[in-house]
Amino acid sequence: MALTFYKYQGTGNDFVMVDNRKHTFPTDDEALVKQLCDRRTGVGADGLILLQDHPDYDFEMVYYNADGRVGSMCGNGARCTVRFARQLGVIEDVACFLAADGEHQASVERDLIQLKMHDVKAVEQIGEDYFLNTGSPHYVRFVENVQDLDVYKEGRAIRYNERFAAVGTNVNFVERISDDEIFVRTYERGVEAETLSCGTGVTAAALVAGLQGLQSPVKVKTLGGELEVAFQQTERGFIYIFLIGPAKQVFSGSVALPQAQQI
């Protein structure tokens, strides 16, 4: 048997997308997810996403990391899922859907997907660095010459340090380019490598940039393209946070499944 899939990318963060509204995908098969995400022997992606029906929402997004395990919120993946839902005819220009961290709203505006993120009340300062949760945990460090940084080495050292080793954290290295723009590179847990972009990561970086005086919206440059993060900063934290950027279908196809994994 063969599995029909769709490949999407949002600023270089790429995903295998599966229409699972008939609930036929083996959701507990970590090995299958890992195989599909493998860039040498599978389709190749930073993660796999199932679009499923839900009685109370337009759809449900179920996200898996490339290691095969169910992941936390994925901002770029959510934007890609909204685009996927629109192309399937599940939604038109607005969506209310369920993700790992709860309910989200989104809108489609031509090439851009505008995704509402959850409020962020707590930002912990660790020396000169920061730690916060934007649907996924993120460590944020400001650096100079981020393009020359060994993100794999430096990010892995933080992700596997004594505090974060057990559960993991994503690690973002941020360079301030101007009064309204930053450049972000991210080491992602679950992928265990640098990705070309991370939606919850650029959101975290933009909010920390807001603490340092940058005004909303913050423009964000990544290796895979450009995003924008809008927010309101209050005494109780950040509210009305929006992650804005493109999401596109790259191709679709089918892949043969081993006998033991046929669905």
Side-chain angles (χ1 to χ4, degrees):
M1 292 180 64
L3 170 71
T4 299
F5 68 89
Y6 303 81
K7 181 72 175 288
Y8 277 71
Q9 64 91 10
T11 54
N13 207 185
D14 59 343
F15 308 94
V16 173
M17 313 288 292
V18 177
D19 178 359
N20 196 40
R21 287 177 290 172
K22 295 183 178 180
H23 297 276
T24 56
F25 190 88
T27 55
D28 59 348
D29 194 337
E30 289 187 9
L32 174 59
V33 174
K34 186 176 182 179
Q35 173 193 347
L36 291 170
C37 291
D38 191 287
R39 296 192 183 278
R40 293 178 175 82
T41 61
V43 178
D46 293 325
L48 180 143
I49 297 174
L50 304 178
L51 184 148
Q52 301 185 160
D53 280 333
H54 192 284
D56 301 320
Y57 297 92
D58 291 323
F59 60 87
E60 179 180 8
M61 165 191 164
V62 180
Y63 172 69
Y64 295 84
N65 287 313
D67 63 6
R69 299 177 182 178
V70 175
S72 50
M73 176 59 179
C74 177
N76 285 332
R79 292 188 305 99
C80 286
T81 308
V82 171
R83 177 71 72 188
F84 184 38
R86 190 176 191 277
Q87 293 184 347
L88 289 175
V90 175
I91 64 166
E92 292 186 2
D93 294 332
V94 295
C96 180
F97 66 97
L98 186 66
D101 62 341
E103 179 182 306
H104 286 268
Q105 292 82 39
S107 61
V108 181
E109 301 176 3
R110 296 186 179 179
D111 294 337
L112 300 179
I113 306 296
Q114 182 168 285
L115 173 69
K116 189 174 188 297
M117 308 293 283
H118 287 184
D119 296 348
V120 174
K121 297 180 180 179
V123 179
E124 177 187 357
Q125 188 161 0
I126 306 173
E128 295 183 354
D129 302 336
Y130 298 83
F131 181 71
L132 63 161
N133 194 304
T134 53
S136 291
H138 282 278
Y139 193 96
V140 177
R141 172 174 290 176
F142 276 77
V143 299
E144 296 181 357
N145 301 318
V146 70
Q147 291 194 76
D148 298 329
L149 189 72
D150 188 338
V151 170
Y152 178 81
K153 179 181 177 181
E154 299 295 331
R156 191 174 179 85
I158 295 171
R159 182 261 185 265
Y160 283 103
N161 70 17
E162 184 176 352
R163 173 172 175 177
F164 299 116
V167 178
T169 185
N170 302 285
V171 185
N172 305 274
F173 299 95
V174 186
E175 180 181 354
R176 181 169 175 168
I177 298 176
S178 68
D179 289 340
D180 66 350
E181 186 174 11
I182 57 177
F183 188 175
V184 182
R185 294 177 63 187
T186 304
Y187 177 99
E188 283 202 50
R189 68 170 184 174
V191 180
E192 303 307 335
E194 181 180 10
T195 56
L196 294 181
S197 175
C198 173
T200 54
V202 302
T203 301
L207 297 184
V208 173
L211 291 176
Q212 297 188 351
L214 271 70
Q215 299 298 309
S216 171
V218 174
K219 299 175 184 177
V220 185
K221 179 181 178 180
T222 72
L223 294 178
E226 296 182 355
L227 293 157
E228 190 172 273
V229 179
F231 54 85
Q232 290 185 22
Q233 187 174 351
T234 73
E235 293 180 354
R236 294 173 292 176
F238 294 93
I239 61 175
Y240 297 110
I241 304 167
F242 290 90
L243 173 65
I244 306 162
K248 300 178 181 180
Q249 180 178 317
V250 181
F251 61 85
S252 62
S254 62
V255 58
L257 299 178
Q259 185 69 31
Q261 296 171 332
Q262 290 185 6
I263 57 177

